[in-house]
Amino acid sequence: MEEKLIDRDTKNEVDDSMLTIEEFVNKEYEYGWVAPIEEELFPKGLNEEIIRKISERKGEPEWMTEWRLNSYRLWLNMKEPRWANIRYDTPNFQDIRYFAAPKMRNKPQSVDDIEPEILMTFEKLGIPLEEQKRLLGIAVDAVLDSVSVATTHKEILSKFGIIFCSMSEAIREYPELVQRYLGSVVPPSDNFYAALNSAVFSDGSFVYVPKGVKCPMDLSTYFRINASETGQFERTLIIADEGAEVSYLEGCTAPIRKENQLHAAVVELIAHKNAVIKYSTVQNWYAGDREGRGGIYNFVTKRGKCLGENSRISWTQVETGSAITWKYPSCILQGDNSVGEFYSVALTRNYQQADTGTKMIHIGRNTRSTIISKTISAGYSQNTYRGLVRVMPKAENARNYTQCDSLLMGNKCGAHTFPHLDVRNPTAQVEHEATTSKINEEQLFYCRSRGIKTENAISLVVNGFCKEVFEHLPMEFAVEATRLLSISLEGSVG
Amino acid sequence: MSLLEIRNLKVSIDAKSILRGISLKVGKGEVHAIMGPNGSGKSTLAQVIAGNESYEVEDGSEILFEGQSILDWSPEERAQRGIFVAFQYPVEIPGLSNLEFLQSAVNEKRKSRGESPIDLWDFEKMLREKMEEVGLNPDFVERSVNEGFSGGEKKRNEIVQMAILQPVLAVLDETDSGLDIDALKSVAEGVNKMRSPERGFLVITHYQRLLNYLKPDYVHVLYNGRIVKSGSFQLAIELEQRGYDWLKDEVVV
Ligand SMILES: Nc1ncnc2c1ncn2[C@@H]1O[C@H](COP(=O)(O)OP(=O)(O)OP(=O)(O)O)[C@@H](O)[C@H]1O
Ligand SMILES: [Mg+2]
């Protein structure tokens, strides 16, 4: 096993004075720095031995190792899908490192034992982990490269019987729950990247909210890639038992690097009878430079199952980062009267490519789904909405409403909409609306005539365009999303 | 020095000439009315003062504001320096609340003067008051800018913006059109309240009714891209009775 200080040559100190200069220079992507953290790195490449090592390193039981190996064998026989509206070179899977973990003195018993460099890294990202500084009203699982380094507010949550911990811990401490639900929504055989993730996933978050409990605070995971040439494969599993309610937020950033980095996550949600899960994402992985060099390949499988009647799963996403985004947070509406929602803003600029949307699979009676997709394309980017609404024969009175609005900035970018419908029950009511427009010059002039500079006018108009989606974000995220959008729009029109 | 001085302003759009040499002076403390038939170029004049770049201002034209040429200024700079135009057809901006919109406008102006941002709490209170003064429901602060507003509500909203931005020069383009009698009165009161020895108004209208409230110092008639007659308030009364036909001959001159 190799061990070294990563990026020893880049002399970035986690130091406030550096930060300001750096932020100034890298105004375009403010999270592009690398923290000088000593990491334990696996050699590059993928084979059964590496998988066993990951499993062993995490102290996993035999059944987990087997699950991984089975997934790996499935993956070996799968082909990388090519149907999405994106162009890229297939990653060389033998040239990727599948495990990188910050080195820790022993096992930290409390946050106070965590290496200061790690605490500093998250603090710089606006996620203080120490007891005194913690964000109020929001519990955080902090994931750095392949491992979860800290989970806050665990004690309070456990009073409600809520389990919120890293996936590794869940596998060790709550094997029955993990065995029952892992892969129950996204089986390893689901697709190429899901199989890969099932074989090599390193960490992620686990949530279980017991019967009748409404989670007293938002739960969140912050994913940070720090190591170079390392893939991030996290796995998230959220279970809301009967009548339970939980709101979960996911944020992510990565350093600026000239080569592409692969991020292939799997997220599974399970909502039992009368349960509600709200899952919000602000995706801000490094997107590559102006010429389209570098950036994260974000190939993610996210799916929720409304297992019980009257359950509800709601996905809200704001996608501004990644060189390539390829994901379709979906809902399987199995329980009668269950509800699935998808609210999405995807902004692409420079040479970014996004192919994103959702699938709503109506199985139960009176199931309802809503899809609101807003895409904003600038520069040379390509932005695709791809959706599937399927109404199964037994889904009496299923309802879907889909609205896709595309906003174009400039004339070198592209916006595409592929809404697929597959209705097998005549009582279904499915509605679809779509618009494509250029940014409205009259609106911009109106703002400017009131003293608002063009750039801010664009940001106000575009934020207005996204309002229906932002309304569904929790407060702190809505503020962050607005800010991110404004930064991303700087210099997008000219 | 006049507040606004327009010299030989010639404007065209898509090679079609619309304003054919307008000269006009508005002094501080004065109210000028501009009247004229449909299509004569009144709104074009307002748009050009606001800095709309889709109109071509021909060489030799000049617009001076407090003695400085503004033709090279961006619309935002003009607004920040104190020029305000209430548009004939205010634009709708879905998803952007009136509050956010005006807060941004006020803060940018403050920023340009090195002042700190306004307190949101106080600002919302003030905005609600201004809305009530022109007969708009104060809950309109949360509504998207002009979206789904009735014609009259849009006009009132323009007056609210003027009252908030406190311009030095205000151009009102048919702000009285489409207003009911009470609204006309409250809009007129809104303007009268802002009159001061430091401010000037250019009021574009088709009707004498608004002018009865405002008592303009001067009335100009714009006809086919030219100012063909200027006079006192008396001219407005005459136009109301006789229409524009009798001015046709003046155009030739
Ligand atoms: N964007 C444009 N493209 C083409 N023609 C235009 C444009 N804007 C104005 N015009 C033309 O310029 C002329 C003057 O228009 P303007 O709107 O200034 O008239 P107005 O005096 O305000 O009329 P009204 O009393 O009806 O408001 C009209 O013939 C109009 O069709
Ligand atoms: Mg007009």
Side-chain angles (χ1 to χ4, degrees):
Chain A
M1 219 170 287
E2 36 178 313
E3 286 173 5
K4 64 167 186 182
L5 255 177
I6 49 153
D7 285 79
R8 213 191 298 257
D9 50 337
T10 63
K11 300 200 176 46
N12 294 344
E13 297 291 321
V14 185
D15 163 282
D16 279 351
S17 59
M18 276 301 288
L19 183 63
T20 43
I21 300 161
E22 223 171 61
E23 271 182 354
F24 185 75
V25 176
N26 291 328
K27 197 164 169 243
E28 298 211 325
Y29 186 67
E30 54 189 312
Y31 305 105
W33 40 270
V34 180
I37 294 171
E38 215 181 323
E39 303 222 24
E40 170 194 342
L41 303 169
F42 276 25
K44 287 181 185 175
L46 185 56
N47 51 49
E48 296 207 358
E49 196 200 328
I50 287 279
I51 291 167
R52 280 182 205 281
K53 260 189 179 162
I54 292 173
S55 194
E56 186 192 303
R57 171 68 178 67
K58 303 174 81 62
E60 288 177 352
E62 187 55 29
W63 59 264
M64 194 65 240
T65 316
E66 281 310 310
W67 199 79
R68 288 176 179 279
L69 289 170
N70 286 334
S71 305
Y72 174 66
R73 287 162 200 150
L74 279 169
W75 179 75
L76 282 178
N77 290 316
M78 291 169 101
K79 270 216 170 70
E80 200 207 357
R82 277 292 175 181
W83 44 263
N85 189 24
I86 52 184
R87 315 257 165 281
Y88 66 100
D89 295 327
T90 300
N92 178 353
F93 295 100
Q94 295 305 336
D95 197 33
I96 295 173
R97 200 189 308 282
Y98 290 85
F99 190 85
K103 278 186 148 187
M104 310 231 201
R105 289 174 253 125
N106 312 316
K107 269 235 168 87
Q109 293 304 308
S110 78
V111 177
D112 302 329
D113 299 338
I114 296 174
E115 260 66 12
E117 292 84 358
I118 295 175
L119 292 179
M120 203 82 108
T121 302
F122 281 95
E123 187 152 350
K124 208 165 142 184
L125 295 167
I127 323 277
L129 300 171
E130 294 109 306
E131 197 83 48
Q132 329 72 272
K133 298 189 192 163
R134 279 178 193 174
L135 307 170
L136 288 174
I138 172 162
V140 181
D141 184 24
V143 177
L144 187 63
D145 292 325
S146 305
V147 296
S148 163
V149 292
T151 309
T152 66
H153 298 285
K154 268 173 141 170
E155 316 76 36
I156 307 159
L157 292 169
S158 68
K159 288 203 186 100
F160 293 84
I162 297 164
I163 304 169
F164 179 43
C165 63
S166 72
M167 198 66 187
S168 310
E169 188 179 335
I171 291 166
R172 291 191 303 268
E173 308 290 328
Y174 313 100
E176 357 38 73
L177 283 173
V178 176
Q179 272 187 288
R180 181 166 161 205
Y181 291 108
L182 188 72
S184 70
V185 186
V186 181
S189 58
D190 189 81
N191 69 69
F192 184 83
Y193 284 103
L196 179 63
N197 173 285
S198 302
V200 303
F201 77 85
S202 38
D203 221 333
S205 304
F206 177 85
V207 177
Y208 173 78
V209 187
K211 266 185 199 165
V213 172
K214 298 195 179 9
C215 191
M217 60 176 81
D218 288 347
L219 305 183
S220 78
T221 304
Y222 195 94
F223 295 104
R224 172 72 178 172
I225 294 180
N226 193 58
S228 63
E229 301 173 290
T230 303
Q232 192 173 36
F233 305 91
E234 87 267 356
R235 186 100 194 181
T236 298
L237 180 55
I238 300 175
I239 303 137
D241 217 325
E242 283 184 23
E245 286 183 20
V246 62
S247 163
Y248 182 90
L249 327 174
E250 177 201 288
C252 39
T253 55
I256 294 174
R257 295 189 195 286
K258 55 186 182 310
E259 76 275 16
N260 297 108
Q261 259 178 300
L262 178 63
H263 170 252
V266 171
V267 176
E268 297 178 277
L269 313 181
I270 293 114
H272 286 278
K273 189 171 162 183
N274 299 324
V276 179
I277 302 177
K278 270 188 68 121
Y279 193 107
S280 314
T281 308
V282 171
Q283 190 264 107
N284 186 23
W285 294 118
Y286 176 53
D289 67 11
R290 279 173 191 282
E291 272 75 48
R293 286 176 303 230
I296 302 288
Y297 287 170
N298 188 34
F299 300 160
V300 173
T301 308
K302 288 184 167 171
R303 198 174 301 157
K305 198 182 246 180
C306 285
L307 202 55
E309 57 195 65
N310 303 313
S311 56
R312 178 188 204 112
I313 288 180
S314 168
W315 298 100
T316 307
Q317 61 174 23
V318 177
E319 306 283 321
T320 59
S322 297
I324 300 177
T325 296
W326 187 8
K327 71 171 198 181
Y328 314 91
S330 302
C331 298
I332 299 170
L333 303 170
Q334 190 167 319
D336 291 347
N337 311 314
S338 60
V339 177
E341 294 166 318
F342 174 76
Y343 304 104
S344 171
V345 166
L347 179 143
T348 52
R349 57 189 184 132
N350 298 332
Y351 287 88
Q352 276 179 281
Q353 306 176 59
D355 193 305
T356 182
T358 184
K359 287 189 271 187
M360 293 290 173
I361 312 297
H362 294 255
I363 299 172
R365 285 172 297 167
N366 304 313
T367 44
R368 281 170 292 144
S369 61
T370 303
I371 300 170
I372 310 277
S373 160
K374 305 270 178 179
T375 63
I376 303 135
S377 327
Y380 298 85
S381 69
Q382 296 293 328
N383 205 329
T384 301
Y385 167 81
R386 188 185 303 277
L388 170 66
V389 175
R390 174 170 289 155
V391 179
M392 301 301 279
K394 296 214 173 98
E396 291 287 316
N397 296 313
R399 300 265 181 288
N400 164 267
Y401 173 72
T402 300
Q403 184 189 326
C404 299
D405 297 319
S406 312
L407 190 63
L408 295 167
M409 318 237 285
N411 48 18
K412 298 191 177 69
C413 52
H416 318 271
T417 306
F418 301 111
H420 299 284
L421 281 180
D422 175 12
V423 179
R424 308 179 195 173
N425 183 309
T427 62
Q429 278 185 33
V430 177
E431 252 182 278
H432 179 89
E433 285 176 30
T435 64
T436 301
S437 54
K438 289 217 158 183
I439 186 142
N440 187 317
E441 290 293 338
E442 285 179 15
Q443 290 174 345
L444 295 183
F445 174 67
Y446 191 67
C447 291
R448 296 177 68 198
S449 76
R450 298 309 182 236
I452 300 169
K453 284 202 288 285
T454 309
E455 281 194 346
N456 295 339
I458 291 169
S459 141
L460 287 176
V461 168
V462 173
N463 268 299
F465 172 77
C466 301
K467 180 72 153 272
E468 286 162 282
V469 172
F470 287 175
E471 275 171 355
H472 293 278
L473 288 170
M475 188 60 180
E476 320 83 54
F477 257 37
V479 173
E480 171 68 5
T482 305
R483 200 183 65 88
L484 249 184
L485 216 62
S486 311
I487 294 173
S488 305
L489 288 167
E490 272 173 25
S492 288
V493 161
Chain B
M1 177 178 50
S2 304
L3 181 59
L4 175 75
E5 184 176 350
I6 298 174
R7 286 190 208 144
N8 193 29
L9 179 66
K10 291 183 179 169
V11 173
S12 59
I13 190 157
D14 300 334
K16 181 185 155 201
S17 136
I18 297 170
L19 297 183
R20 303 152 188 254
I22 289 187
S23 295
L24 180 69
K25 274 187 193 176
V26 179
K28 286 186 177 175
E30 293 174 357
V31 176
H32 290 238
I34 293 190
M35 305 182 82
N38 295 134
S40 56
K42 304 181 297 296
S43 294
T44 303
L45 177 63
Q47 294 279 349
V48 169
I49 293 173
N52 192 331
E53 288 139 358
S54 48
Y55 295 86
E56 275 160 62
V57 177
E58 290 170 28
D59 288 350
S61 307
E62 189 57 278
I63 301 180
L64 303 172
F65 174 65
E66 296 180 322
Q68 282 181 282
S69 171
I70 65 167
L71 286 174
D72 290 336
W73 295 3
S74 64
E76 49 269 39
E77 187 170 2
R78 295 179 196 205
Q80 289 182 3
R81 301 261 193 133
I83 297 173
F84 178 89
V85 175
F87 294 104
Q88 186 176 2
Y89 303 108
V91 176
E92 302 189 359
I93 309 180
L96 174 62
S97 75
N98 261 322
L99 179 61
E100 244 180 301
F101 174 62
L102 279 175
Q103 192 203 349
S104 304
V106 168
N107 279 340
E108 284 210 31
K109 183 169 175 178
R110 292 177 69 96
K111 198 175 159 193
S112 74
R113 299 174 171 192
E115 295 166 3
S116 62
I118 198 160
D119 178 83
L120 181 55
W121 193 262
D122 295 344
F123 184 68
E124 176 166 353
K125 200 167 149 259
M126 178 169 76
L127 184 54
R128 284 176 169 270
E129 282 166 13
K130 299 283 186 208
M131 292 213 155
E132 256 180 319
E133 278 174 23
V134 298
L136 278 181
N137 185 330
D139 292 340
F140 271 42
V141 294
E142 293 300 341
R143 287 207 24 199
S144 297
V145 177
N146 295 323
E147 192 190 26
F149 285 25
S150 75
E153 286 168 348
K154 284 181 182 169
K155 299 295 171 86
R156 296 183 205 210
N157 202 30
E158 295 287 287
I159 294 303
V160 169
Q161 294 178 29
M162 177 179 76
I164 292 286
L165 295 171
Q166 294 282 312
V168 185
L169 170 71
V171 180
L172 310 184
D173 189 359
E174 292 199 31
T175 305
D176 54 336
S177 297
L179 289 184
D180 63 41
I181 298 162
D182 292 338
L184 183 76
K185 214 171 151 187
S186 55
V187 162
E189 276 165 11
V191 173
N192 278 333
K193 224 164 137 185
M194 282 190 56
R195 280 173 86 158
S196 86
E198 294 305 311
R199 272 198 187 101
F201 289 85
L202 196 56
V203 180
I204 296 168
T205 182
H206 285 296
Y207 308 105
Q208 190 201 324
R209 227 173 25 189
L210 175 69
L211 302 182
N212 286 340
Y213 288 110
L214 296 186
K215 298 279 176 328
D217 303 297
Y218 300 94
V219 174
H220 311 276
V221 179
L222 191 60
Y223 197 109
N224 205 6
R226 285 191 184 91
I227 290 180
V228 293
K229 201 165 184 64
S230 294
S232 65
F233 177 50
Q234 204 47 45
L235 178 57
I237 298 169
E238 205 176 341
L239 289 170
E240 186 91 0
Q241 289 162 354
R242 297 176 61 186
Y244 294 107
D245 245 20
W246 61 283
L247 289 166
K248 255 186 190 157
D249 304 334
E250 316 253 347
V251 185
V252 192
V253 182

